[in-house]
Amino acid sequence: MRIGTLGNGLMAEALAGRWIEAGHDVMVGGRDPERAAELAKRIGAVPGSLTEAAAYGEVVLLAVPAEVAVEVAKLVPPGRTLIDCTNALDHRDFTLAQPATAEAISRAVPEVQVVKAFNLAADAVWRNPPSGLGVPICGDGGFDLVADLVRSVGCVPVTAGGLARAKLLEATAALAIGIWVGGGDVRGMFPGLADAFGTVLPSQS
């Protein structure tokens, strides 16, 4: 698969590096050509500008600060699948600085298939994810492409609904980060699937 990354920070490095190891072709695009070239050389990618990376492949990773995500996404040509891994987090109280970022991106680029994924973990996790880690995917299309890229980093794709549910995924990230910062562990918060729906009472007729 040909993939362009918009951004040359830690998330772009972690995910693009794993994708290259899995055999995908990646172009790293950034506003700073020197930084993009440096990262590309380090992970074995092709360097380019933001515009070149946006047009490079069928899938584009949006890995820029959330406050500029909508504007940068406008560089992506129609027909591409855009993975939004951003979190618009207010670090003062670990709430969302702006709700529904993925939906705002989709409104700005209606001819691009926007998919929310890879936003529940920091870059260090994607460099060496634990076995069986699930990656929720929200989108109205493009699931199979993104699911393949989830498997390429050694994780398990989880269908999380359409793009309208992406705001819930963004809120989940804010909730989890706040718990982690407070010293809590979110892994024990949810029961297994067999116990998820509670007691089923017999119907009374």
Side-chain angles (χ1 to χ4, degrees):
M1 200 181 301
R2 284 166 62 94
I3 307 160
T5 73
L6 303 182
N8 50 25
L10 295 175
M11 283 290 286
E13 179 177 358
L15 289 168
R18 291 301 299 262
W19 289 332
I20 289 169
E21 291 173 3
H24 301 291
D25 296 321
V26 177
M27 175 181 282
V28 173
R31 286 175 292 183
D32 184 333
E34 291 185 6
R35 283 192 62 192
E38 179 183 316
L39 173 57
K41 181 178 181 180
R42 190 159 64 243
I43 64 176
V46 178
S49 66
L50 286 174
T51 301
E52 289 169 333
Y56 181 73
E58 56 192 315
V59 178
V60 180
L61 173 70
L62 184 63
V64 296
E67 57 267 25
V68 299
V70 172
E71 287 304 311
V72 174
K74 293 177 181 178
L75 298 172
V76 181
R80 303 301 201 274
T81 294
L82 176 65
I83 302 173
D84 169 30
C85 69
T86 66
N87 286 315
L89 195 67
D90 186 333
H91 290 276
R92 293 171 299 180
D93 57 4
F94 302 103
T95 56
L96 290 177
Q98 59 185 55
T101 301
E103 289 181 85
I105 292 168
S106 184
R107 287 192 296 270
V109 287
E111 296 180 338
V112 172
Q113 189 67 67
V114 178
V115 179
K116 190 81 180 187
F118 296 109
N119 73 308
L120 291 188
D123 63 285
V125 173
W126 306 124
R127 296 174 198 276
N128 186 27
S131 177
L133 180 67
V135 178
I137 302 172
C138 287
D140 297 328
F143 179 86
D144 290 342
L145 283 175
V146 178
D148 283 344
L149 294 179
V150 168
R151 296 186 190 99
S152 291
V153 300
C155 297
V156 179
V158 178
T159 303
L163 193 65
R165 290 178 58 83
K167 65 174 72 74
L168 304 179
L169 195 51
E170 295 166 8
T172 299
L175 176 65
I177 292 168
I179 291 172
W180 286 323
V181 169
D185 190 340
V186 302
R187 291 176 299 176
M189 289 172 51
F190 297 100
L193 179 60
D195 301 315
F197 299 102
T199 303
V200 178
L201 297 174
S203 60
Q204 296 180 1
S205 56

